[in-house]
Amino acid sequence: MKKMELHWKILIGMILGILFGFGMNQLSWGEQFVSDWIQPLGTIFVKLLKLIAIPLILASLVKGISDLKDISKFRNIGVRTIVIYICTTIVAITIGLVLVNILQPGEGISEETIAKLTETYSNDSGVTSKLEEASKQKDSGPLHFLEDMVPDNAIFALSNNSLMLQVIFFTIFLGISMLLIGEERAKPLKHFFDSLNDVVLKMVDLIMLSAPVAVFALLASVVASSSDPELLVALLKYAGVVVLGLFLMIAFYSLVVASFTKYNPITFLSKISPAQLLAFSTSSSAATLPVTMERVEEHIGVDKEVSSFVLPVGATINMDGTSLYQGVAAVFIAQALGFELTLSSQLTIVLTALLASIGSAAVPGAGMVMLVIVLEAIGFPPDKLAIGLALIFAVDRPLDMCRTVVNVTGDATVAMMVAKSVGKMGKPKVQNWDDHLDEIKSKGS
């Protein structure tokens, strides 16, 4: 399988997965069959991607920093990255708030639908767990996210995918220290990480061979276990506003790519489409990170010095799609339950969603935890929080899949912008999984 064909094969896998899942959803035994025999294939694929995520960050970020030869260059990349991510997140939240205030999807929800959704989901374990997690985050201090960034045990941080910021902190610390001891002393360690980086990238190539089958399994599982169709239809207007906002965000990225980097936006979207399709299937920016890095570096031409920092940081703190969803969901819930929002409340949504996105984990369902924090920030009645989450829980998973696509696209866009601004955009150098087979065969014969 050559990489130029990959996005088409993944797309076919997605379509077949949706159709197969829908068929199984109509059968009494279908959901159980998919859960037992189909879903494990997708789960194994996601585990493989998560397996190499931290080794990839460690190897590529150390290699990127050690190749800079100058700490000031890293500072330039870091500052530009954070500033651009904050700006794109503000744009995303603003788009969401403008759309939800104009289209007002919450006004069309009947009392019967609210009652049915509340009855179905308010005591759901998914809703209650999100409320508990949000309560823990709310009780933490204002600088708690800075504490969380610094690990007290590097080995433990490297063994836990949810501690991505700690891994990035340790890796940057290690890379800068390598620069400070001089090139000659750092050479043995640099060679190790250079080799590790090549090996992990080859692992990405091998894992991606199974991507079409894995995407089929993941989507079949989601569709086969989908909720009551009547409730989904009732929330169609709300879901439509979110999807429209996400589409406008993709259009914004395309405009930025065309105007700032002078890169063809159609080509850009085509090059990163495998990462987008995997983001849609897995609902996880962290799981998609190895593929995003591979597409941005090899297929678009962003230098590793830039991508190795911008993309891991983006997978952790850049939640443009999720932040847009926060704005729409918060106002939708307020509209549906008759909670009046003032201009200051909506400005609070912008600020809270921005801050919450920085500390949010890049995993499925993190957006619901962020939403609770946003609702509490605007003074939403605590006794109605479960009802508010129940209103949107039925369509949260499909919307989570869509907003993860935007998150990943935003990461790639910012990587291109930063690379262009520091002169680190080069020619793509595509590598395939079998590039070195001839070399191995010749040595073996």
Side-chain angles (χ1 to χ4, degrees):
M1 183 193 302
K2 298 298 182 183
K3 291 183 183 177
M4 62 181 291
E5 305 168 355
L6 187 59
H7 61 287
W8 291 112
K9 294 188 177 183
I10 293 177
L11 188 59
I12 291 170
M14 288 178 64
I15 295 170
L16 292 177
I18 291 171
L19 293 175
F20 181 80
F22 181 76
M24 290 293 101
N25 186 262
Q26 308 305 307
L27 302 173
S28 58
W29 50 270
E31 183 178 347
Q32 190 62 45
F33 175 82
V34 171
S35 176
D36 290 343
W37 298 99
I38 305 298
Q39 186 177 356
L41 299 176
T43 303
I44 291 170
F45 177 77
V46 173
K47 281 187 173 184
L48 286 172
L49 288 175
K50 290 181 176 180
L51 171 71
I52 62 172
I54 286 181
L56 180 61
I57 291 172
L58 185 65
S60 63
L61 193 48
V62 168
K63 175 176 170 53
I65 295 173
S66 60
D67 284 345
L68 285 174
K69 307 284 193 301
D70 184 358
I71 297 178
S72 63
K73 292 181 181 178
F74 176 72
R75 183 187 62 210
N76 291 337
I77 291 173
V79 171
R80 293 176 196 212
T81 299
I82 301 300
V83 169
I84 295 173
Y85 275 142
I86 290 174
C87 291
T88 58
T89 302
I90 292 173
V91 170
I93 301 168
T94 303
I95 288 175
L97 288 177
V98 169
L99 287 177
V100 75
N101 279 286
I102 292 175
L103 300 176
Q104 298 189 338
E107 299 295 336
I109 301 293
S110 67
E111 293 292 335
E112 291 181 3
T113 303
I114 292 175
K116 189 173 183 181
L117 286 165
T118 303
E119 181 183 349
T120 306
Y121 294 110
S122 60
N123 293 318
D124 188 281
S125 59
V127 170
T128 54
S129 65
K130 299 299 186 296
L131 289 169
E132 290 172 3
E133 179 62 30
S135 178
K136 291 179 184 176
Q137 293 195 24
K138 182 188 174 186
D139 292 339
S140 59
L143 296 181
H144 186 70
F145 75 98
L146 288 177
E147 289 183 55
D148 283 345
M149 285 178 59
V150 183
D152 57 5
N153 187 321
I155 303 301
F156 178 75
L158 292 170
S159 68
N160 191 336
N161 277 30
S162 65
L163 301 177
M164 201 76 79
L165 275 178
Q166 293 191 5
V167 174
I168 294 170
F169 178 89
F170 168 73
T171 308
I172 291 173
F173 196 22
L174 177 63
I176 291 175
S177 299
M178 286 174 62
L179 283 178
L180 293 174
I181 66 172
E183 187 176 351
E184 193 62 33
R185 290 185 179 88
K187 188 178 291 184
L189 195 56
K190 185 180 185 309
H191 286 331
F192 168 77
F193 282 112
D194 287 352
S195 179
L196 178 61
N197 182 68
D198 291 337
V199 171
V200 175
L201 287 177
K202 189 59 64 178
M203 293 172 75
V204 176
D205 292 337
L206 292 173
I207 293 170
M208 287 303 291
L209 293 175
S210 63
V213 175
V215 166
F216 165 84
L218 289 166
L219 287 182
S221 173
V222 170
V223 176
S225 59
S226 61
S227 305
D228 185 345
E230 291 182 12
L231 295 180
L232 297 179
V233 171
L235 295 171
L236 198 57
K237 189 176 178 183
Y238 156 70
V241 173
V242 175
V243 172
L244 175 60
L246 297 176
F247 175 79
L248 291 177
M249 202 61 203
I250 296 284
F252 169 74
Y253 292 142
S254 300
L255 183 63
V256 168
V257 166
S259 59
F260 188 83
T261 68
K262 309 302 179 187
Y263 199 93
N264 188 316
I266 303 300
T267 305
F268 162 67
L269 293 174
S270 174
K271 296 292 187 184
I272 66 164
S273 58
Q276 292 175 316
L277 295 173
L278 283 180
F280 182 80
S281 305
T282 62
S283 298
S284 172
S285 301
T288 313
L289 178 61
V291 182
T292 309
M293 293 183 71
E294 184 258 356
R295 301 304 296 188
V296 168
E297 291 171 12
E298 295 184 18
H299 294 259
I300 295 179
V302 173
D303 197 288
K304 185 175 289 293
E305 294 173 10
V306 174
S307 63
S308 61
F309 175 77
V310 176
L311 294 175
V313 170
T316 310
I317 72 169
N318 180 48
M319 300 283 171
D320 288 351
T322 307
S323 298
L324 184 149
Y325 152 85
Q326 306 302 312
V328 175
V331 178
F332 167 78
I333 290 171
Q335 290 172 350
L337 298 181
F339 181 78
E340 187 176 349
L341 288 177
T342 62
L343 178 60
S344 63
S345 296
Q346 301 216 22
L347 291 175
T348 302
I349 291 175
V350 174
L351 180 61
T352 310
L354 174 63
L355 295 175
S357 69
I358 295 174
S360 176
V363 295
M368 290 284 278
V369 177
M370 291 169 58
L371 179 59
V372 176
I373 296 171
V374 171
L375 288 172
E376 290 183 335
I378 59 176
F380 196 79
D383 58 323
K384 290 188 176 181
L385 279 174
I387 299 174
L389 293 191
L391 281 178
I392 61 171
F393 195 75
V395 291
D396 182 66
R397 182 58 197 270
L399 291 182
D400 195 8
M401 296 161 74
C402 294
R403 60 188 185 245
T404 306
V405 173
V406 172
N407 293 342
V408 168
T409 308
D411 295 343
T413 302
V414 174
M416 290 181 67
M417 292 176 69
V418 174
K420 184 71 174 179
S421 67
V422 297
K424 293 292 182 179
M425 279 283 288
K427 291 184 179 179
K429 296 179 181 178
V430 180
Q431 298 182 25
N432 292 305
W433 72 273
D434 55 357
D435 284 346
H436 302 285
L437 278 185
D438 292 339
E439 179 185 334
I440 296 170
K441 288 177 182 178
S442 63
K443 288 184 178 180
S445 58

